[in-house]
């Protein structure tokens, strides 16, 4: 991996923005996308996309990451100055406690930690934890002091983590790889395609609010009306104890998602992806998921949009620390670039027609 790419990953993953509060990531994406496209447009919820225009009668292809990461929204300040929250996105309650966060307010950002109960005080109890039971602590001594610092219900709390490489140089540890992976790939693909002539209009960028119900994809595909939709997203690895009968193994290539609760990969689209991988010797692995992506929202939008995911897997997603493979990222990036290079109006027509 080139140092430029690692630095881009580090910058994007260390940025903080949970669902509905993606402004820092959107600003980064706007700055990076603008010199690579003909124009940049934003939908009503805040998704941002760069367009490379073809003739009006040419098909339209959309490549979409999502900007948001899982986090929390502050719902109540207790008399002692602690915070009750609701999760934004899916959290395992057992990974929330005793972690460092950033409390983002209109007055500025403040360090914050999540509470934990010492084992001494759990004796005689069930020991079970719910997110709603975990308090967040920014060190304020009262509700009045928190309010004086500008803290209000509706503020967000986001993980704080440094992005680093593992000792062997083969993996990276970060937060928010779901889905700053997609943001990184979109930028790298646009750079790689700068000198390519495309036989379609390319719409490439990132949606908002994916982690809270695939909300951002819906206005985006309505606005841009693509003929094909490619989500670029990170999924959960399942390889800690075995790779026999599980999906998502670090180091085995990009994910070819064939089914999840919201999407079935259409035959002609699968055929195109397999041909692309074989032609360019791109390692891939089949993937079946219990969770969905923006492709699930896109493919039933408008009059129906053939959609798929070009993904990577990561261990421990939706936590402070995700581990992912540099080789998998390289494979996914190459897959996105070659898929977009290989598409033309005739191929898109065949995929959409399904015959």
């Amino acid at each position: 991996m080139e140092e430029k790419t690692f630095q881009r990953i580090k910058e994007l993953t260390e940025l903080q923005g949970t669902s509905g509060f993606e402004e820092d990531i959107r600003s980064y994406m706007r700055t990076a996308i603008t010199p690579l496209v003909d124009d940049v447009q934003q939908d009503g919820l805040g998704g941002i996309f760069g367009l490379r225009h073809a003739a009006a009668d040419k098909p339209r292809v959309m490549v979409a990451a999502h900007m948001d990461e899982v986090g929390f929204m502050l719902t109540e300040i207790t008399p002692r100055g602690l915070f009750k929250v609701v999760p934004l996105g899916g959290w395992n309650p057992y990974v929330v406690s005793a972690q460092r966060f950033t409390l983002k307010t209109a007055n500025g950002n403040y360090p914050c930690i999540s509470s934990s109960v010492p084992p001494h005080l759990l004796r005689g109890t069930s020991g079970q934890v719910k997110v709603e039971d975990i308090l967040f602590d920014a060190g304020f001594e009262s509700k009045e002091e928190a309010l004086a610092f500008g803290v209000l219900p509706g503020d967000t709390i986001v993980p704080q983590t440094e992005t680093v490489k593992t000792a062997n140089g083969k993996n990276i540890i970060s937060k928010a790889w779901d889905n700053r992976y997609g943001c990184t790939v979109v930028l790298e693909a646009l750079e790689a395609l700068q000198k390519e002539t495309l036989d379609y209009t390319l719409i490439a960028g990132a949606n908002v609010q994916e982690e809270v119900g695939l909300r951002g994809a819906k206005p985006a595909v309505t606005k841009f009306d693509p003929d094909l939709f490619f989500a670029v997203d990170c999924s959960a690895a399942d390889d800690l104890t075995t790779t026999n009968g599980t999906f998502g193994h670090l180091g085995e290539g990009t994910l070819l998602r064939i089914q999840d609760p919201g999407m079935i990969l259409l035959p002609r689209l699968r055929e195109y992806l397999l041909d692309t991988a074989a032609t360019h010797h791109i390692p891939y692995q089949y993937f079946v998921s219990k969770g969905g992506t923006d492709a699930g929202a896109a493919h039933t939008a408008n009059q129906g949009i053939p959609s798929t995911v070009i993904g990577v897997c990561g261990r421990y997603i939706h936590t402070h620390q995700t581990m992912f493979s540099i080789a998998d990222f390289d494979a996914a990036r190459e897959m996105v670039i070659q898929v977009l290079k290989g598409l033309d109006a005739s191929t898109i027509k065949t995929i959409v027609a399904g015959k």
Side-chain angles (χ1 to χ4, degrees):
M1 173 179 285
E2 293 183 1
E3 182 62 21
K4 175 185 174 183
T5 298
F6 175 70
Q7 288 303 318
R8 173 174 279 163
I9 288 171
K10 184 174 176 66
E11 289 169 2
L12 276 164
T13 52
E14 290 182 359
L15 285 174
Q16 296 176 298
T18 187
S19 305
F21 297 83
E22 300 95 346
E23 56 270 14
D24 290 344
I25 302 89
R26 180 166 48 249
S27 176
Y28 184 101
M29 294 294 288
R30 180 184 292 278
T31 298
I33 285 174
T34 297
L36 305 174
V37 297
D38 298 322
D39 71 287
V40 177
Q41 298 182 27
Q42 186 171 316
D43 65 49
L45 286 186
I48 190 164
F49 290 86
L51 283 77
R52 284 189 53 185
H53 295 290
D57 62 342
K58 294 294 185 179
R60 299 166 66 82
V61 175
M62 190 170 191
V63 181
H66 69 84
M67 291 179 275
D68 54 321
E69 63 186 291
V70 293
F72 300 90
M73 178 177 283
L74 191 161
T75 59
E76 182 181 342
I77 306 171
T78 73
R80 294 185 60 80
L82 303 173
F83 313 130
K84 295 183 179 181
V85 302
V86 294
L88 297 176
W91 281 93
N92 176 345
Y94 290 97
V95 304
V96 177
S97 293
Q99 299 288 343
R100 189 169 178 179
F101 294 83
T102 298
L103 170 63
K104 298 174 76 71
T105 79
N107 282 14
N109 297 338
Y110 306 127
C112 181
I113 57 174
S114 50
S115 68
S116 65
V117 180
H120 318 66
L121 302 182
L122 287 175
R123 292 170 185 158
T125 72
S126 67
Q128 294 182 341
V129 177
K130 295 185 294 184
V131 170
E132 292 77 8
D133 297 332
I134 298 170
L135 296 171
F136 286 73
D137 189 346
F140 298 119
E141 295 182 349
S142 66
K143 179 177 182 178
E144 291 72 23
E145 185 180 30
L147 291 171
F149 275 81
V151 181
L152 292 171
D155 289 339
T156 58
I157 296 173
V158 189
Q160 183 178 33
T161 304
E162 180 188 4
T163 298
V164 297
K165 290 182 181 178
T166 56
N168 61 9
K170 296 180 180 179
N171 305 289
I172 294 173
I173 300 170
S174 78
K175 70 169 182 63
W177 194 230
D178 179 12
N179 184 28
R180 308 292 159 69
Y181 146 70
C183 296
T184 306
V185 162
V186 164
L187 298 179
E188 301 256 317
L190 283 172
E191 288 178 346
L193 294 168
Q194 270 187 289
K195 297 181 180 179
E196 297 289 327
T197 300
L198 303 178
D199 194 32
Y200 56 88
T201 291
L202 175 62
I203 307 140
N207 291 314
V208 297
Q209 297 194 42
E210 191 269 356
E211 297 292 2
V212 288
L214 316 181
R215 297 176 189 174
K218 299 167 187 176
V221 296
T222 299
K223 176 179 177 64
F224 295 109
D225 194 23
D227 297 285
L228 286 182
F229 181 95
F230 294 92
V232 279
D233 206 344
C234 175
S235 300
D238 188 4
D239 65 350
L240 292 183
T241 59
T242 182
T243 58
N244 183 22
T246 64
F247 294 102
H249 308 146
L250 260 65
E252 294 190 10
T254 186
L255 303 182
L256 183 67
R257 180 183 290 240
I258 54 176
Q259 190 271 344
D260 66 38
M263 186 209 75
I264 295 172
L265 180 59
L266 297 177
R268 291 294 174 263
L269 197 45
R270 181 184 63 180
E271 180 181 314
Y272 178 66
L273 294 174
L274 289 172
D275 285 349
T276 300
T279 299
H280 298 282
H281 309 289
I282 300 170
Y284 67 89
Q285 53 185 306
Y286 288 103
F287 190 75
V288 175
S289 178
K290 295 180 181 179
T293 73
D294 280 337
H299 87 136
T300 57
N302 301 350
Q303 299 180 58
I305 305 168
S307 302
T308 190
V309 187
I310 300 176
V312 293
C313 63
R315 292 177 184 156
Y316 330 119
I317 67 171
H318 287 212
T319 73
H320 275 65
Q321 311 288 351
T322 295
M323 181 178 291
F324 57 93
S325 161
I326 291 173
D328 291 347
F329 169 79
D330 289 342
R333 176 179 58 185
E334 187 66 11
M335 188 69 162
V336 171
I337 291 168
Q338 296 303 334
V339 161
L340 295 176
K341 280 185 178 181
L343 284 173
D344 56 31
S346 175
T347 302
I348 294 168
K349 182 178 179 180
T350 299
I351 292 171
V352 173
K355 58 183 179 180

